[in-house]
Amino acid sequence: MKQLPLAGTQSLQEILDRIKAYIHEHPEIKNDTTKWIEGMGWDQTKWPTPQFPTASDLEQDPLLKGRPISLSRVDGHVKWVSPRVLELIRELPDHIEGGLIVRDADGLPTGVFVDNAMALIPTPEWTEEKMNQFFDKTMKGALSHGLTSIHNAMTTPQQIQFFKKCFLTLILSKVPRVNFSAERRKQNRLYLMGHVSSNEYWGSQIPRLVNYGKQGHLTVKSVKLVADGALGSWGAALLEPYSDEAEDSGLLLTPPEELSALVHQFWKDGFQVNIHCIGDRANHVVLDIFEDIIAQRGGNITEWRPRIEHAQIMTLDDIKRTGRLGVLTSVQPTHATSDMSYAETRLGPERIKGAYAYQSLLQASPNHVLPLGSDFPVESIDPLLGFYAAVARLRFDPEHPDAPGSSPHGSRGWCVMIFEKELTSMIHIPDYRYPEQKLTRAQALKGMTLDAAYASFAENEIGSLSPGKKADFVVLNKDIMTIPVADILKTKVTATVVDGKIVYGDL
């Protein structure tokens, strides 16, 4: 049983129809109303009325009534639950640090829980069987899309133990599989970021593993922390209020002093520290913490390699500061194309200049390093979608795959205007305006390969086809470096090779 996919839904009714179809497709759920239904991918900004849904919406149909249903927003920072789940929670606190229980005019919970408030939802723990099912599906999908390595953010201690078991044995599980031998299923390299949802130091719960397992494909030497929420749910922490929510500046999920204490201790204990930061306040707070360690306490940037995950909205000064400090900004190009329809509405015309500013971040980097990823399952697992978003800044419509890409600024792609006087000290700009935050194809390819390897301390082993490195590569049926941009997403994976062995397709 896989999680109910809700990505691409365009209305509340479409989501309800998918839930009903899911129930009919799973007799074990249809015949037992106590079984939880979990899904992910809804996005209220895509609906005709772009507002949060309510628990009562999940009881409109008799088939859904009384069932525990928990549906994560596309960004993973909001959960929408059914009335039955609200009954199971029973008592709700008036306030949650770093979170929000959305309430109606009478103060009653609507069924929407934001960021830290999601911890109140009594979702059942994943069984090993369920983890096996998700793991097998992910590995199969990754290899079929040409991914030879994955950086897995937010891996719990329980999940790390599961991965250790998988990579130490040849037989991953007893769940039947089709066309994937046990040897093939475990070829993908995993770089795990440990995570525990606590503001108390938890480094002792994360084992250190380097090239672990029979084939040396599992590494754990980093941790993932979360500074704020997401832009789509007004949870990204901003220095000033949202342009479309004048009373709201977002959420810092961890108080700055507690976040600082965690980062300092993880640094002392030798962990790479990777922190989720969306809003300009979150990025500013984290850069302050990193700067204290690097500039005041002797932190060696090359040995430590701290990462800001997403680096989505920054002041122009903080963009320059990332370069001065040498902090890695790890970005996901499809976030730009997913958010571009509402980002400026949320941020206004000035703040948007420092948002999704990939070319600026790359040019600020002293070594021109900009790791690119996907953030799946928030976005698609397909790296070609990220490559296309990086070089075209256009949205791809999976419902109409032959239609040309689109953006609020037309077919040239979504362009964030940055003025020369604001960035002239950082990069050379030949014209008064610097309209392009697009990356070149060479920059995007390097970001997805060698820069990603650098961000996981593996640039001497993988990331490029060089003598002495491991033979990890993908073979495509088109040359994505030369074909028309519109044809990039028509490209197919011919073969995926890890350690010189074909693990998907044929040559």
Side-chain angles (χ1 to χ4, degrees), residues 6 15 17 26 52 75 114 134 136 150 182 201 213 255 260 275 291 308 337 348 374 387 437 490:
L6 300 174
I15 289 175
D17 290 342
H26 294 85
F52 279 148
D75 53 28
V114 182
F134 273 74
D136 291 347
I150 294 174
Y201 185 69
S260 178
I275 307 181
E291 184 164 20
I308 291 182
T337 51
S374 66
F387 186 84
Q437 288 294 348
K490 299 176 183 177

Side-chain angles (χ1 to χ4, degrees), residues 283-284 287-288 291 317-326:
N283 279 287
H284 189 80
L287 283 173
D288 283 347
E291 184 164 20
D317 285 341
D318 276 343
I319 289 176
K320 290 185 280 188
R321 185 156 60 136
T322 63
R324 187 175 74 251
L325 297 175

Side-chain angles (χ1 to χ4, degrees), residues 285-312:
V285 165
V286 167
L287 283 173
D288 283 347
I289 296 169
F290 285 163
E291 184 164 20
D292 178 67
I293 292 173
I294 296 164
Q296 304 299 325
R297 303 177 190 275
N300 185 309
I301 194 68
T302 303
E303 294 178 359
W304 188 30
R305 303 188 192 183
R307 293 163 55 166
I308 291 182
E309 297 297 321
H310 311 311
Q312 205 159 295

